[in-house]
Each structure stands twice: as C-alpha cells, then as structure tokens.
Amino acid sequence: KQEVTQIPAALSVPEGENLVLNCSFTDSAIYNLQWFRQDPGKGLTSLLLIQSSQREQTSGRLNASLDKSSGRSTLYIAASQPGDSATYLCAVGPNNAGNMLTFGGGTRLMVKP
Amino acid sequence: GAGVSQTPSNKVTEKGKYVELRCDPISGHTALYWYRQSLGQGPEFLIYFQGTGAADDSGLPNDRFFAVRPEGSVSTLKIQRTERGDSAVYLCASSLRAGLAGGPTDTQYFGPGTRLTVL
C-alpha cells in the first residue's frame, strides 16, 4: 500500500525566504505526482503535475522535482510572500488506469510579513 | 470557465440520518473522483467514475456509502445511517481523462468540498 509522508508538518518563515517542502513515497511505481495548495476551508488548487518520466516542473516561483527511484519529491518556493501561506499537499498517482491519488498529510506554511 | 462545484457547502445532520452530497464536474471531464478529508489530514480516496460507471470503489469505508453518476456528469455521494465518525470534508475532483493518457489531461481539479457534521 502506497504511503506518502510530508516533512515538515508545519513551517513558519519570514517573507522573502526561499524554502523547500519535502514529500516521500514508499512505492516508486507511480504514474505521476501532483502538488496542491489548500487554503483554510477551501478545496485544493493544483500547482504542478510531474509525470513519472519527468524530473521537474516549474511555474513562476515554484519548482517541483521528482526522484522516482528514491521515492522523493521537493517543492521549492522562491522569494516567499505572505500570500503563499497555506497548506501544501503532495499526492501520487498509481501506475494503472484511474489515477486515484494518495495524499500526504500536508505541510502548513506560514510566511510572516 | 466554471470549475467543479459541490452542494451543499455545509451539512449538519443527526446520527442515523441519510445524506446526499452532490458534485458537478467540469464540463467534458470524463473522470470523477470522491475523496474524504478529516481534520488535519490529507484527503483519502473513496471512489472514482469513468463515465457513468464506478471504475473503482475500493476506498468506500463500508456499505453505508454509495455513489452514482447516472448520466456521466453530475455525481451524488449517498451515506446511509450516518455515524459521528463520518464527519469530514467530502471533496470531489474531475479530470479530462482518468490517467495513463499522459500530461495535463491527468490533472485533477477539485471542488470546494462539503463539510459534513454528524451530531
């Protein structure tokens, strides 16, 4: 059974810092990996999707990397802003039809002005 | 364009009652997913539809839970004889395809969720 772990569970940084969120998964037979953002009381917003054949994806100040063989992904946020404060969730899709996602517990990020 | 919508946004019910939660996916998306998120945790998969059929319901916790998607668009999650442990946020997501198609078609778009509270 796939298990996804995110470290740290919570993180508080001053505005402007670059930061890295970590995600690890136990079964490397994945099809893709997605990073989501969740604001309090809201649904999930997809940030980046990395196919298993890819090493990284970039969108604006966000960069996600994937090392499938070691079961790890990182989300790098450059020049953090207070508006980045949210919970960040990592999810992996299995290597079969359906792509039902297995989520980590999330990292709660607070960026202080 | 319109995203995934879910109704109601909040539902409070009493133990033992029956509830229905509705999901309207993005138009044209063939795959639809239900997840459940307990406080402080990541979402957990419940069931997924490809078109009208439930392609995988392995995440449903027991036979009190059932979901339908009769016309391949709107889906309803039904919970019978609700229990306090059913309290959670129920999230619906849709994607253009259901995996193994490659690329952006696999991206799942989530609705805002329905917060279910069983008293």
Side-chain angles (χ1 to χ4, degrees), chain A residues 31 38 51 97-101 104, chain B residues 33 35 37 45 98 102-103 108:
Chain A
Y31 180 61
Q38 185 172 34
Q51 298 293 342
N99 201 35
M100 298 81 74
L101 299 176
Chain B
Y33 305 80
Y35 294 85
Q37 186 175 26
F45 167 75
Q108 293 186 24

Side-chain angles (χ1 to χ4, degrees), chain A residues 31-32 34 36 38 41-46 49 51 89 94-106 108, chain B residues 33 35 37 40-45 48 56 91 98-104 106-113 115:
Chain A
Y31 180 61
N32 58 32
Q34 279 186 258
F36 293 89
Q38 185 172 34
K42 303 289 181 60
L44 281 64
T45 301
S46 180
L49 180 148
Q51 298 293 342
L89 292 156
N95 196 16
N96 57 34
N99 201 35
M100 298 81 74
L101 299 176
T102 300
F103 283 84
R108 294 187 308 281
Chain B
Y33 305 80
Y35 294 85
Q37 186 175 26
Q41 300 180 19
E44 294 180 317
F45 167 75
Y48 124 79
D56 190 321
L91 296 165
L100 299 185
D106 300 328
T107 300
Q108 293 186 24
Y109 298 89
F110 281 75
R115 181 176 299 279

Side-chain angles (χ1 to χ4, degrees), chain B residues 28-40:
Chain B
H29 281 194
T30 62
L32 184 146
Y33 305 80
W34 283 99
Y35 294 85
R36 179 168 72 172
Q37 186 175 26
S38 299
L39 190 64

Side-chain angles (χ1 to χ4, degrees), chain A residues 9-15 17 19 21 80-88 107-113:
Chain A
L11 181 64
S12 180
V13 300
E15 181 177 5
E17 272 202 10
L19 55 100
L21 307 182
S80 59
Q81 303 171 357
D84 295 332
S85 299
T87 295
Y88 290 81
T107 294
R108 294 187 308 281
L109 172 66
M110 175 169 289
V111 180
K112 298 181 178 179

Side-chain angles (χ1 to χ4, degrees), chain B residues 78-101:
Chain B
K78 307 180 181 190
I79 311 174
Q80 298 177 324
R81 304 183 304 279
T82 52
E83 300 177 355
R84 293 192 178 86
D86 298 335
S87 296
V89 175
Y90 289 81
L91 296 165
C92 175
S94 70
S95 68
L96 192 59
R97 301 285 186 269
L100 299 185

Side-chain angles (χ1 to χ4, degrees), chain A residues 7 18 22 33 35 38 41 43-44 50 57 59 67-69 72 75 77 79 83-85 88 93 97 101 104:
Chain A
I7 295 173
N18 302 324
N22 296 292
L33 184 145
W35 282 94
Q38 185 172 34
L44 281 64
I50 310 178
Q57 283 285 339
S59 176
D67 184 342
K68 199 174 78 161
S69 61
R72 296 185 181 187
L75 179 67
I77 303 176
D84 295 332
S85 299
Y88 290 81
L101 299 176

